[in-house]
Amino acid sequence: MHTFEQFIHESRQLHRQRVSFILCAGIIVFLLFSLLDSFLWPVHFQELLHDRIVAVAICTILLVVNGYDRALRLSLVIGFSGYLTVGIVILLSVFRLGGLASHYYIGLIIAIALYTALAPLTVGQTLVSGLSLAFLYAFSIWLAEEPLSGAQGMLLFNNLFFIVCFVLIAATQSWTDTVARSREYQLRASENRAAEVLAHQADKLEKEVQRRFEAQKVSENQYQALYQAIADDVVLLTPEGEVRQANSSYIRNFSNGPLRPGALFLDIVCQEDRPAMRDALADLVATGKALTHLRLTLVSIQGQAIETEISGALLRRGESILGAQLVIRDITVRNILEGRLIASLRKVRQTENATIMALAKLSEYRDITPGHHLERIREYCVTLASELARRHQFAATLTPAYIQNLYQAAILHDIGKVAVSDDILAKTGRLTRWEEEELRNHTLSGGDVIKAMEQEAMGSGFLSLAKNIAYFHHERWDGKGYPYGLQQTEIPLEARIMALADAYEEWTAALDPDNRLPHEQASGAIVRNSGHQFDPIIVDAFVVLGETFDRIRHEMAEPA
C-alpha cells in the first residue's frame, strides 16, 4: 500500500476509535447537564430532560453503528452527526432558556472542544465543524430575538467572538496534531522499512551462513577424499619436522603401519640430502614462502632409494602455525623420460640444423661463393645480435631464443638465388637492366619460399626471421635499397643485422683476391655508410666488435 494511503487508513482507524470516546463523552455530558438543570432550571427540567434523552438516544444509536463500521467508511459521518446532535440540543437549551441572555452557549464551546480535541480532524474539518455551530447559534438567536437591539447585537457579537476564537484555537491544535501524526507515521514507516531491510538481510545472512556451513562440510569431505586418494604422497609436518598427518600413499610407501608418534620426516631422507631438507623446512617456517621443486632422494620402507620432487606450503590459523604440508612426487620415471626426450630433441635439432644447412648450401652450389661463406655469415649475425642485446632498447627483443633462431635463419638469406638462371649467376661482366632485375628478384623468391615453409610449420620462430632476412636484407637505411625501398626501422631488425654482415663478408671474402678488402678498409667502408646503407646503431656495435669480426674472418678463412 502507498505511504499516503496507509496514513489515511490509520487516520480512519483512529477516527473510529475516537468517535466512540466522543459519543460516550457526549452521553455523559448530557447526563451531567440534566443534573445541572434540576438545580438551576427546575421549571424547564422536564422539557430539557426530553431533549437530553433524545440526544442520548441518538448518540447511543450512532455508537452502535460505529461499532459495526468495520470498513471505516462512516466514522467521519458518525462523528460529525453526533457532534451536530449535541450542538443542536444545546441550541434548543439556549432557545428555551432565554436565547441571547442564556449562558448555555458555553455548551457549544464544550461541544466544539470535545469534538475537535478528540477527533483526529484536519484544519479544514475543524473550521467547518466549529463555524457551522457558530452559524447555527447566530441563526437561532436571530430567529428568537428578531429584531435585535444594539445591546443585543453587541452581546451576540461578544458570544460569537469567543466561539470563533475557540474554533481558531482548535484549528491550530488540529494542524499541529495532524503534522505530529504525519511525522510520527513517517518515522514509524521508516523504522518499519529499516526493520524489514534488517530482517531481510538477517534472513539472507542466516541462509548464507548455513550455505557456507554446508559448503564447508562438503569441502572438508571432498578434501579428505582427495587427500586420501591423491596419487602423490602428502604429509603434514610440525615446524620441527615431526610427521603429524599423512595420506594413505605416504603411509604405504614410507611408514611401516600407522604413523607412530614422534616419527621424523628426516628419517626417510637419504643422508646426503638431509641438510638441504633441514634448510628448506627452516626457510619455509621462517619466511612462509612456498617450497617448490626441491629434489630429494627418499628411502622407502623396502629400503629402495626414490628420486622425488617436493613442493610445500605453510599452513596457518591466525597467527599460529599449524604446520608445513609437503607434496612428494616420485620423479624416477619422469627423469628417465626427460633424459630420453632431451636426447631425442637434441637429435631432432641436429637433424634440423643439418637440413637447414643443406638447404642453404643448395643456393651456394648454383651461386659461386666462398666455401665457408654461410658459416661466417652466421657467426657475424649472432655476434652482432649478442652485442646489441646488451643495449636497453634491444634487450626485450634480442632474447636468447631470438639469437638462436637468428643463428639458424641467417644461412637462408640467399636461398632465392636458386630461382636465378645460371647465366646471370656465372656472369662476370656488367649485368643488363633485365638481368639486374632478375637477380634482385632473388629476395622475393627466397622470401616466398620461406613464407610457404612457415605456413606449413605453424609459427616456427626461426622461419619467421629467415623470411624477413630473405625479403629485406638488401634494403638500405636511407630507403634506396630493394625490393620495396623500405627505410630505417621499417626494415626488420634481423634484416638490418644481415645487411651489415653480408656487406662485410662480400668485401672481405670476394672470390677474386684482387677484389678483397682487408679488415681495416672494410670497416672504414661500413663506418662511412652509417646512416646511408646501414643502421647507425648496428654500425656502432660493429665498431665495438671489430677485432671479433677480424678473428672470425681468420678462423673461418678458406683453405689455401
Side-chain angles (χ1 to χ4, degrees):
M1 187 181 293
H2 192 271
T3 302
F4 178 74
E5 294 176 349
Q6 287 180 327
F7 176 69
I8 295 299
H9 182 74
E10 285 196 2
S11 296
R12 288 177 177 175
Q13 285 183 321
L14 180 62
H15 204 118
R16 179 172 176 269
Q17 295 172 358
R18 296 285 180 86
V19 163
S20 297
F21 295 142
I22 292 169
L23 293 173
C24 290
I27 292 171
I28 293 171
V29 167
F30 278 125
L31 294 176
L32 292 175
F33 276 3
S34 295
L35 181 62
L36 182 64
D37 293 340
S38 65
F39 289 103
L40 296 179
W41 315 101
V43 177
H44 300 282
F45 177 76
Q46 290 297 328
E47 54 183 340
L48 292 176
L49 179 61
H50 177 268
D51 296 340
R52 307 288 192 261
I53 291 173
V54 171
V56 169
I58 293 173
C59 289
T60 302
I61 292 171
L62 292 174
L63 185 63
V64 173
V65 172
N66 187 63
Y68 282 99
D69 182 26
R70 304 295 183 185
L72 307 176
R73 295 175 181 172
L74 303 174
S75 55
L76 181 61
V77 175
I78 293 170
F80 190 69
S81 300
Y83 167 71
L84 283 180
T85 299
V86 172
I88 290 171
V89 171
I90 292 174
L91 287 174
L92 286 175
S93 299
V94 171
F95 181 79
R96 295 181 189 280
L97 298 176
L100 189 59
S102 174
H103 294 290
Y104 249 109
Y105 81 92
I106 296 175
L108 296 176
I109 296 177
I110 295 174
I112 294 171
L114 182 65
Y115 183 55
T116 59
L118 291 180
L121 303 177
T122 64
V123 174
Q125 291 169 343
T126 301
L127 290 174
V128 168
S129 60
L131 294 178
S132 63
L133 280 190
F135 172 78
L136 290 174
Y137 173 68
F139 182 73
S140 65
I141 296 299
W142 179 76
L143 290 176
E145 304 289 344
E146 184 181 4
L148 292 174
S149 64
Q152 288 176 326
M154 290 300 296
L155 182 59
L156 176 61
F157 176 79
N158 178 76
N159 293 347
L160 288 174
F161 176 80
F162 285 111
I163 293 174
V164 170
C165 285
F166 189 82
V167 170
L168 294 177
I169 293 171
T172 303
Q173 187 271 336
S174 296
W175 176 77
T176 57
D177 180 63
T178 301
V179 171
R181 285 190 298 106
S182 176
R183 289 180 178 174
E184 186 267 341
Y185 174 78
Q186 291 175 355
L187 289 174
R188 281 191 293 107
S190 298
E191 182 179 352
N192 290 337
R193 286 194 298 269
E196 289 176 0
V197 171
L198 288 175
H200 179 67
Q201 294 296 334
D203 184 60
K204 286 178 61 178
L205 180 61
E206 183 178 355
K207 290 180 179 178
E208 181 64 16
V209 169
Q210 182 65 26
R211 186 188 68 80
R212 294 196 178 189
F213 176 74
E214 296 295 335
Q216 184 179 5
K217 287 176 62 177
V218 171
S219 178
E220 288 179 356
N221 293 335
Q222 291 175 341
Y223 172 77
Q224 286 297 330
L226 177 63
Y227 189 79
Q228 295 300 330
I230 191 170
D232 295 330
D233 301 335
V234 183
V235 60
L236 180 66
L237 306 182
T238 65
E240 293 76 28
E242 181 180 336
V243 179
R244 176 177 293 177
Q245 185 179 353
N247 69 343
S248 56
S249 178
Y250 177 90
I251 294 174
R252 184 171 58 252
N253 293 328
F254 299 106
S255 178
N256 190 8
L259 291 174
R260 57 182 178 80
L264 296 176
F265 182 72
L266 285 177
D267 292 342
I268 66 170
V269 180
C270 73
Q271 197 69 33
E272 294 79 6
D273 289 341
R274 288 183 181 180
M277 183 60 219
R278 288 194 192 96
D279 294 342
L281 182 60
D283 183 65
L284 176 61
V285 173
T287 64
K289 185 178 179 181
L291 176 65
T292 57
H293 307 304
L294 175 64
R295 297 203 172 191
L296 298 177
T297 301
L298 305 183
V299 181
S300 68
I301 55 175
Q302 291 84 15
Q304 179 184 0
I306 302 175
E307 296 181 38
T308 64
E309 183 179 79
I310 299 178
S311 300
L314 198 62
L315 301 184
R316 293 180 177 273
R317 178 176 294 165
E319 296 297 324
S320 60
I321 298 175
L322 297 179
Q325 183 163 282
L326 306 183
V327 178
I328 306 167
R329 177 164 295 175
D330 186 346
I331 60 172
T332 304
V333 176
R334 190 176 79 182
N335 286 343
I336 296 173
L337 295 177
E338 283 180 354
R340 293 176 181 174
L341 179 60
I342 291 172
S344 176
L345 289 176
R346 187 178 294 114
K347 186 174 181 180
V348 169
R349 177 57 62 87
Q350 290 171 351
T351 304
E352 184 182 68
N353 289 340
T355 303
I356 294 169
M357 180 60 75
L359 185 61
K361 288 290 185 181
L362 179 64
S363 65
E364 283 198 321
Y365 288 137
R366 301 197 62 246
D367 183 21
I368 303 173
T369 56
H372 293 163
H373 165 67
L374 295 179
E375 288 82 354
R376 286 193 297 271
I377 281 288
R378 182 164 61 186
E379 291 299 324
Y380 293 151
C381 288
V382 169
T383 301
L384 278 173
S386 299
E387 174 61 27
L388 291 171
R390 297 189 180 95
R391 309 187 182 198
H392 70 278
Q393 64 265 48
F394 296 112
T397 302
L398 296 175
T399 62
Y402 180 100
I403 294 174
Q404 175 61 34
N405 288 333
L406 180 63
Y407 180 82
Q408 293 178 297
I411 59 177
L412 297 176
H413 65 288
D414 275 338
I415 191 173
K417 287 185 176 180
V418 298
V420 180
S421 66
D422 293 338
D423 293 340
I424 295 175
L425 293 176
K427 188 173 182 178
T428 57
R430 185 176 181 83
L431 298 176
T432 66
R433 183 176 179 181
W434 179 85
E435 291 172 337
E436 179 72 22
E437 184 68 22
E438 183 176 350
L439 180 61
R440 288 189 172 192
N441 281 340
H442 82 276
T443 57
L444 298 175
S445 300
D448 290 344
V449 168
I450 299 175
K451 182 179 180 180
M453 295 168 60
E454 181 188 21
Q455 291 173 348
E456 290 294 329
M458 300 294 290
S460 170
F462 98 88
L463 286 177
S464 177
L465 297 187
K467 175 187 68 178
N468 289 339
I469 290 172
Y471 273 134
F472 309 119
H473 70 283
H474 283 296
E475 299 284 0
R476 291 170 54 100
W477 183 257
D478 56 13
K480 296 179 181 180
Y482 63 88
Y484 298 114
L486 303 181
Q487 59 182 347
Q488 298 187 14
T489 55
E490 293 177 346
I491 308 168
L493 177 60
E494 52 270 18
R496 284 180 270 153
I497 292 172
M498 172 57 70
L500 190 148
D502 193 35
Y504 181 82
E505 169 68 8
E506 181 181 351
W507 290 336
T508 59
L511 286 175
D512 186 353
D514 295 335
N515 293 331
R516 291 179 192 168
L517 297 179
H519 170 74
E520 292 76 12
Q521 291 184 19
S523 298
I526 288 174
V527 171
R528 286 193 299 274
N529 278 282
S530 177
H532 301 288
Q533 184 176 352
F534 308 117
D535 182 345
I537 296 178
I538 297 177
V539 172
D540 290 343
F542 169 77
V543 172
V544 173
L545 298 168
E547 293 183 2
T548 304
F549 266 66
D550 194 31
R551 176 178 53 78
I552 294 171
R553 183 175 66 89
H554 283 295
E555 290 178 354
M556 295 187 175
E558 307 302 327

